């Protein structure tokens, strides 16, 4: 690092957390410090960004606090502007980014995070703002660097290279350009820019620069056009200023189409798809039919076994018979393991005892209003209990988690067979296993992804929630944990689940259902000026009032709106399991249709976090902090 | 300090092991109903209920959460800004009584309260209706524990038979008032209450931030 005695500080901001850094500074990651913009006093007048750690390091507790990192925020330590703190000499700790190395930067996490990129897909640094936001920094960067908003990602700012000739010309006022003919074209670009800033910006700049570059002859702009151009430039600048808030101006998604629900899969249709050996011939079209209309009730107990991966879709009738026998043995083996536990064993096995008692308590409080589970000493309650107990022996690491009895109850009610219900329950659990993560990471991811989707489809509502302490989407927890089991009637929940189990039309379709409902409730929420508490109450009270068919219909419309919109980001593609733009060419592994393997598809959570060959948006990483800052 | 025209909003958090009857207590208090087979709680719920005390009205905003350890990260954010914490166990479940201490510590850890000893905790032994032979915790054990932990309010209740439920919540508010008047003397600037009428002009006040100035 070069010496920097002769430089002038232009800006400083404290409480800045280093979230990602070059290898040389990796030990300072998660340290709080101060961010400076300085200008060298040498003739070269180079400008750069510097970050210097405070001496206090962030308590490592911050990781354990999970959703509640609220009280660990450091006290403000204001630096006197213009003066570096005494230990500023300790240069090795500083991170320095020359302006000329910054090719783009991205604002995330509601302006609480900024990432700098060097244009080679490498992230130079990520900074988080513990208090305040990146707004001031952003406005300074916009003044000092010539930037434009990316067409694909409205939080991404592209820095124009000051050494390129078109930049130098561009940097002179546009109005001074000597353009004779074709000024109409230029004007229309700006007009378009004004009307659709995010869509046009990037493209517009490249058009203008191209034009300027290729038009060296002297031309005159007529006065009217010059005036128009001036006005539109200043308006354009206003627009970008406003757009600092996350959702002020956005590209529009295409119009919503209507996707009517069809009749449920009928017995004739089902039989028609089976060959003489009882094998399903065209699995995709069967699944598509189920997605469109569900399954007719008398057929459910058979079809659910396929949907829940108990019966392989490719199996013949004979193979299924064999499977049944072996699965039955396996089940009773596991059941005997806990049934045979002696009193002493139990007394010496706290973990087991606790699980057993949890299950007992919950079984007594699951769907007791339905005839099937009503009354004391109901044999079905015992079966419900036994399946859950056996599930602990099947997956002891996971154990019993509240919500599981809700997922099992309709399955047992439908199949009325202990063994079949167990294995179908296993299949369902495999799809939603991350809902029950010890650290609840799966639920947090889903809430975060739900917010990302909502912000894309309905930025106004997302923005409202963000500014009303509700950006964490917490109030959707129950919906997501047990897939609307508590909000819908038994018949509706069965229909809803079988539709979702198909994995059509995309991964995480249930999140789009949430978006659809929230959109329907938007007028209620906004007109009543609900805050977090009222939203939670409003959402909890929707129980029993949701129309499942309408929800599915809307959600599908939303899916196609997203899919067909031209500013779709990779982040959204990852959530919905759509092929990524990059990965198709460079990685090849995503070329298969997203609907090929049912086991992977509808697992209820997101594979995105484990896809490490794709640089995902830092939104995810920063989610924890956002939940705290916007929470209560 | 408090005028009669003001409606004071108090945030009450009910904590305790799963199955001790937290949700039943809340429903009994708020709607005077008891449903033996109500669902176990998923996520977080709350209900409001007005209560009169010495001619003043208090709105209790009662927060009920899921008790399982797994959902700890889900419920702890809701502790912030609480005015009263109700520690609940079932008299027919010894281990739920032993866990009271754990619940108190979890609350203190996340609630961001000013002074530990000064916070209005109330310990509630629910299911007092169960036959004697099923009882695992006596009233004496309850009182002893509270004495040792300098908690002055404790009571046995039954959500099922409606015994002592109103009293428990009243007792909690009274305890809160005692601490509050003491705090007023020390620091008259501190005011824990939220004027409900202001609710819609200020988002945060509708967000149960009872004690965040
Ligand atoms: N005998 C008796 N049972 C109760 C009482 N309160 C609740 N219960 C039962 O205890 C079980 C758990 O109650 P619940 O309110 O769901 O517990 P929570 O998990 O603490 O919310 C339910 O089955 C209730 O019927 C009570 O006062 N007496
Ligand atoms: Mg409960």
């Amino acid at each position: 690092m070069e010496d920097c005695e002769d430089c002038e500080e232009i800006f400083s901001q404290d409480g800045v957390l280093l979230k990602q850094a070059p290898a040389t500074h990796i030990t300072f990651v998660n340290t709080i410090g101060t961010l400076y913009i300085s200008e060298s006093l040498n003739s070269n007048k180079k400008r750069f960004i510097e970050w210097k750690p405070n001496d206090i390091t962030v308590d490592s507790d911050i990781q354990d606090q999970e959703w509640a990192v609220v009280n660990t925020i450091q006290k403000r330590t204001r630096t006197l502007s213009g003066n570096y703190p005494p230990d500023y000499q300790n240069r090795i700790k500083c991170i320095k980014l020359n302006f000329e190395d910054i090719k783009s930067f991205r604002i995330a996490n509601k302006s609480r995070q900024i990432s700098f990129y060097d244009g080679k897909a490498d992230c130079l640094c990520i900074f988080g703002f513990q208090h305040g936001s990146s707004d001031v920094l952003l406005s300074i960067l916009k003044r000092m660097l010539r930037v434009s908003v990316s067409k694909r990602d409205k939080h991404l700012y592209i820095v124009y290279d000051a050494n390129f000739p078109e930049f130098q010309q561009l940097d002179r006022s546009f109005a001074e350009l000597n353009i004779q003919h074709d000024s109409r074209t230029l004007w229309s670009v700006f007009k378009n820019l004004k009307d659709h800033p995010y869509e046009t910006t990037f493209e517009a700049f490249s058009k203008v620069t191209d034009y300027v570059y290729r038009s060296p002859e002297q031309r005159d702009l007529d006065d009217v056009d010059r005036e128009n151009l001036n006005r539109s430039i200043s308006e354009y600048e206003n627009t970008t200023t406003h757009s600092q808030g996350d959702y002020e101006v956005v590209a529009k998604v295409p119009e919503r189409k209507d996707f009517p629900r069809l009749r449920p899969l009928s017995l004739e249709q089902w039989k028609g798809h089976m060959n003489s050996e009882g094998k399903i011939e065209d699995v995709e079209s069967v699944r598509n039919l189920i997605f469109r209309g569900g399954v007719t009730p008398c057929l459910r107990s058979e079809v659910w076994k396929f949907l829940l991966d108990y019966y392989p879709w490719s199996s013949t009738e004979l193979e299924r018979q064999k499977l049944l026998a072996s699965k039955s043995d396996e089940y009773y083996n596991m059941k005997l393991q806990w049934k045979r536990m002696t009193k002493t064993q139990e007394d010496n096995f706290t973990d087991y005892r606790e699980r057993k008692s949890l299950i007992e308590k919950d079984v007594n409080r699951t769907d007791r209003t339905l005839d099937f589970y009503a009354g004391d000493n109901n044999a079905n309650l015992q079966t419900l209990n036994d399946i859950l107990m056996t599930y602990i022996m099947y997956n002891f690491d996971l154990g019993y988690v509240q919500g599981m009895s809700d997922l099992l109850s309709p399955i047992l009610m439908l199949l009325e067979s202990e063994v079949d219900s167990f294995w179908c329950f296993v299949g369902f659990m495999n799809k939603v296993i991350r809902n029950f993560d010890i650290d609840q990471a799966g639920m947090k991811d889903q809430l975060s992804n739900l917010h990302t989707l909502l912000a894309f489809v309905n930025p106004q509502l997302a923005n409202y929630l963000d500014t009303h302490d509700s950006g964490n989407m917490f109030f959707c927890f129950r919906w997501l944990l047990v897939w609307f089991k508590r909000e819908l009637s038994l018949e509706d929940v069965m229909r809803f689940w079988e539709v979702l189990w198909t994995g059509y039309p995309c991964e995480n379709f249930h999140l789009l259902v949430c978006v659809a409902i929230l959109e329907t409730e938007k007028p209620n929420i906004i007109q009543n000026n609900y805050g977090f508490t009222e939203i939670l109450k409003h959402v909890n009270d929707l129980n029993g009032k949701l129309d499942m068919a309408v929800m599915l219909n809307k959600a599908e419309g939303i899916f196609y709106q997203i899919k067909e919109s031209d500013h779709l980001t990779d982040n959204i593609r990852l959530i919905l399991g759509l092929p990524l733009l990059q990965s198709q060419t460079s990685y090849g592994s995503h070329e298969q249709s997203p609907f090929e393997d049912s086991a992977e598809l509808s697992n209820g959570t997101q594979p995105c976090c484990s896809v490490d060959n794709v640089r995902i948006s830092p939104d995810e990483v920063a989610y924890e902090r956002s939940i705290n800052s916007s929470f209560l | 300090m408090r005028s009669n025209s003001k409606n004071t909003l108090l945030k009450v958090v009910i904590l305790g092991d799963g199955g001790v009857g937290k949700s039943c207590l809340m429903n009994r208090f708020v709607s005077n109903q008891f449903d033996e087979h109500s669902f176990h709680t998923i996520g977080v719920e709350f209900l409001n209920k007005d209560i009169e005390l010495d001619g003043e009205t208090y709105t209790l905003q009662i927060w009920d959460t899921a008790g399982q350890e797994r959902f700890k990260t889900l419920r702890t954010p809701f502790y912030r800004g609480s005015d009263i914490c109700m520690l609940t166990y079932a008299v027919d479940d010894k281990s739920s009584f032993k866990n009271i201490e754990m619940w108190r510590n979890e609350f203190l850890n996340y609630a961001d309260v000013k002074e530990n000893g000064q916070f209005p905790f109330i310990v509630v032994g629910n299911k007092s209706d169960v036959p004697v032979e099923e009882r695992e915790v006596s009233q004496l054990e309850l009182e002893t524990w509270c004495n040792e932990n300098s908690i002055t309010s404790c009571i046995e209740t039954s959500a099922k038979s409606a015994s002592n439920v109103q009293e428990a919540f009243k007792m909690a508010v009274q305890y809160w008032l005692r601490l509050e008047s003491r705090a007023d003397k020390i620091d008259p600037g501190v005011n824990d209450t939220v004027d409900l009428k202001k609710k819609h002009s200020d988002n945060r006040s509708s967000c149960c931030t009872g004690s965040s100035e």
Side-chain angles (χ1 to χ4, degrees), chain A residues 67 361 365 367-368 398 400 402 405-406 436 440 474 478 486 529 532-534 537 540 631-632, chain B residues 18 37-40 44-47 61 63 68 70-71 73-74 77-78 199-200 203-204 206-207:
Chain A
W67 312 47
K361 285 175 187 161
R365 295 182 286 174
D367 286 329
R368 295 302 300 282
L398 182 63
Y400 172 77
Q402 290 192 311
S405 68
D406 284 272
F436 302 98
Q440 291 287 293
F474 221 77
R478 189 169 73 194
R486 295 285 178 95
N529 195 26
F532 176 79
T533 336
E534 291 100 340
K537 184 149 197 64
N540 276 346
F631 202 69
L632 298 187
Chain B
H37 298 311
S38 56
F39 277 99
H40 59 267
V44 179
E45 293 170 11
F46 76 92
L47 291 172
Q61 186 176 73
W63 289 76
Q68 195 175 357
R70 190 84 43 127
F71 298 115
T73 55
L74 159 72
F78 291 89
K199 188 153 122 178
H200 288 302
N203 296 319
R204 289 192 59 81
S206 62
C207 271

Side-chain angles (χ1 to χ4, degrees), chain A residues 365, chain B residues 19 21-24 39-41 64-66:
Chain A
R365 295 182 286 174
Chain B
K22 299 181 292 295
S23 304
C24 287
F39 277 99
H40 59 267
T41 313
D64 179 26
T65 61

Side-chain angles (χ1 to χ4, degrees), chain A residues 365, chain B residues 17-24 34 36 41 126-127 129-130 158-160:
Chain A
R365 295 182 286 174
Chain B
D17 282 4
V20 299
K22 299 181 292 295
S23 304
C24 287
F34 178 78
E36 191 139 15
T41 313
N126 190 39
K127 307 198 187 179
D129 60 278
V130 296
S158 165
K160 191 174 183 174

